[in-house]
Amino acid sequence: MAHDRTQLTPEALKQFLAEHPEWKHEGGMIRRTYEAPGFLEGIEFVSRVAKAAEAANHHPDIDIRWRKVTLALVTHDAGGLTWRDTKLAAEADMLFAGGVKQGG
C-alpha cells in the first residue's frame, strides 16, 4: 500500500507539540511515556494502541517497563516524521485518556 511520505514541516511539528505537550521530539522521533495505575492496565493500553496501529498500518516502537509505556513514532520509509506519526500519537492520547487513568 502506497503512503504519503511527505515529511512534516517544522511548523506542523511545532503545532503538534504545542497541542500535545507530553510528546517530545527526540532523535528524529516523537516520543511519550504514559504511566498506568498498574501493569495490566498498561498492557491493555498497549493492546489498544497495537490495534489502532495495525489498522493504520503504522507501528510505533513500544517499550513497557512495569506501569510505564513509552511510544516512539517515526515514518521509517519517509526518513522522518509525517502526518501518520502525529495522527497515531493523537489517537494514542485519546485511547489512554479514554481507558486508563494517569498513575501517581
Side-chain angles (χ1 to χ4, degrees):
M1 180 185 313
H3 294 287
D4 181 359
R5 290 179 177 87
T6 305
Q7 292 191 19
L8 284 181
T9 64
E11 295 80 18
L13 177 59
K14 183 177 179 180
Q15 180 177 347
F16 171 80
L17 294 173
E19 293 170 0
H20 300 268
E22 298 87 3
W23 286 88
K24 305 298 180 214
H25 182 222
E26 303 171 344
M29 301 179 172
I30 53 174
R31 180 182 321 267
R32 178 178 175 186
T33 298
Y34 299 86
E35 187 170 345
F39 179 72
L40 292 178
E41 292 90 348
I43 295 300
E44 179 58 34
F45 170 62
V46 168
S47 177
R48 289 193 302 273
V49 169
K51 289 173 186 169
E54 189 66 14
N57 194 28
H58 191 60
H59 306 94
D61 291 342
I62 302 173
D63 182 62
I64 304 166
R65 308 283 171 140
W66 186 41
R67 299 182 323 154
K68 293 183 180 182
V69 175
T70 301
L71 303 180
L73 288 154
V74 65
T75 304
H76 296 287
D77 61 354
L81 294 168
T82 68
W83 66 270
R84 295 172 68 206
D85 301 303
T86 54
K87 181 179 179 189
L88 187 57
E91 188 168 358
D93 284 350
M94 290 188 320
L95 291 169
F96 189 79
V100 178
K101 293 193 169 135
Q102 200 75 0

